[in-house]
Structures are given as structure tokens and as C-alpha cells.
Amino acid sequence: MIKINLLPSTRKPARKITELQKQLIVAVLIFGVVAAGMVFYYFFLTKKISARQHDRAVAQKKVADQENMLKEVKNVEAERKLVTEKIAVIEQLKKNQQGPVRLLDEVSRALPNTVNITSFVESSGNVSLAGDAFTNDDVVRFIDNLKRSPYLANVSLQETSQAVTEGIEYYKYKLQFKYKGI
């Protein structure tokens, strides 16, 4: 007799994978790998852009700092130049201040009590004096005293003449010399 089994079987027969299904699986896997690669590359580029922006910000800060330093250097240079100019002016004033004082000191030391100066003109180290004295010897003594000074040179008597005022005889003189202290 023939037996018929009406009970369901617990095992299903294996399905065969068709060529189309194989190609579909390979396509899904390739798409997944490409998508994962694109996501990885996106994050890589994002990180690279972020690093470049950070480097740019650091470089801009460094440039700004250097510009500030350059401004400070220019300010210091300008102040240094100004101070140097002021020092030069002060030194020139000191030099000019000492010259006339020394000149007048040398002339006053050489001046005898009986000799008067009526005119004193100094121009670029050349000095012209005019005055009067009671005797010619007083004028000669004055000239000799001027010649002894280390700051005076080329002392020469230009003119001397005798004059009378209110019955008093005196001598007028003019002399020139060079002041070496300038």
C-alpha cells in the first residue's frame, strides 16, 4: 500500500540563488563600500579644512603681532631719532654757550685796569675790539696779555690814535684777533 504523509515537513528545500541575486548582492556591497569610503573621505576633508583654518588663524594672529611689533619699532626709531636730535641741539648749545663765555673771560683777564673797551664785535671767530687807554703802554700790555692766551690767535693792532677830551689826553685803539675756541 501506498503511504501518504500528510504531515508538514520541517525542512524546506534550499533555494537556489540566481545570477541576478548574486549581482544584486555584489552591487549592494560595492555601494556600501563606496558610501563608507565617501563618508570617511568627507570626515577626512572636514578635519583637514578645520586644521587649515586653525593654521590660518594662528598665522593671522602672528602677522598682527608682528605688525604691532613693527609699529613699536617704528615708534622707538622715531623717538630715538628725536632724542638724538635733541641731544645734538643741547650739545651745540653747550658748545655755543662755552665759546662766548670763554672769549669774554679771556678778554677780561687780559684787560688792564687803565684800558676800556668801547666796541666788541665777534663774527665766526673773528673779533674786532675798539677802546681807549690812558697810555700807549697800556694798549701794548693789553695786546701782550691777549697774545699769551691759548684761545686767541693772530692778535694785531689795527690802529691807535691820540685824542683829547675835556683836557684829558688818552689813546684810542682798534685791534683784531681770532678766537680758536669755536
Side-chain angles (χ1 to χ4, degrees):
M1 176 113 150
I2 299 179
K3 287 187 175 185
I4 298 177
N5 186 3
L6 295 175
L7 291 171
S9 76
T10 58
R11 247 177 98 193
K12 289 188 177 181
R15 283 180 27 181
K16 290 186 179 179
I17 297 177
T18 65
E19 191 64 31
L20 179 65
Q21 288 174 334
K22 286 181 186 179
Q23 288 176 356
L24 192 60
I25 289 172
V26 169
V28 167
L29 286 175
I30 290 174
F31 179 75
V33 169
V34 168
M38 287 175 51
V39 167
F40 175 75
Y41 189 66
Y42 170 78
F43 285 119
F44 173 75
L45 287 180
T46 303
K47 186 176 179 181
K48 196 172 183 179
I49 289 171
S50 173
R52 297 281 188 227
Q53 287 175 341
H54 180 293
D55 292 346
R56 180 176 173 225
V58 168
Q60 286 176 338
K61 185 175 185 281
K62 188 175 179 180
V63 166
D65 290 344
Q66 288 178 348
E67 285 177 355
N68 288 338
M69 289 174 67
L70 183 62
K71 286 179 185 176
E72 285 183 34
V73 167
K74 286 182 180 178
N75 288 341
V76 167
E77 295 265 335
E79 288 177 13
R80 184 178 149 265
K81 183 179 178 185
L82 186 63
V83 167
T84 303
E85 290 173 357
K86 287 180 180 180
I87 289 173
V89 167
I90 290 171
E91 301 231 354
Q92 184 65 32
L93 287 173
K94 282 183 180 179
K95 182 180 175 186
N96 291 344
Q97 181 182 20
Q98 289 177 350
V101 170
R102 184 173 305 274
L103 174 63
L104 291 175
D105 184 48
E106 291 297 318
V107 171
S108 70
R109 286 182 189 199
L111 190 66
N113 289 337
T114 56
V115 177
N116 292 323
I117 297 174
T118 58
S119 170
F120 186 98
V121 177
E122 187 271 332
S123 175
S124 300
N126 294 318
V127 179
S128 296
L129 279 177
D132 49 42
F134 286 114
T135 65
N136 236 355
D137 291 336
D138 293 336
V139 174
V140 170
R141 196 170 16 160
F142 181 45
I143 292 171
D144 288 340
N145 290 344
L146 289 174
K147 286 181 179 180
R148 280 190 221 121
S149 172
Y151 298 103
L152 307 177
N154 302 332
V155 179
S156 63
L157 181 63
Q158 299 296 311
E159 169 185 336
T160 184
S161 61
Q162 189 174 12
V164 177
T165 302
E166 297 179 8
I168 301 174
E169 289 184 12
Y170 63 95
Y171 290 89
K172 289 187 172 188
Y173 67 89
K174 290 183 181 176
L175 59 94
Q176 289 185 334
F177 58 88
K178 182 133 181 101
Y179 177 56
K180 295 188 294 187
I182 293 180

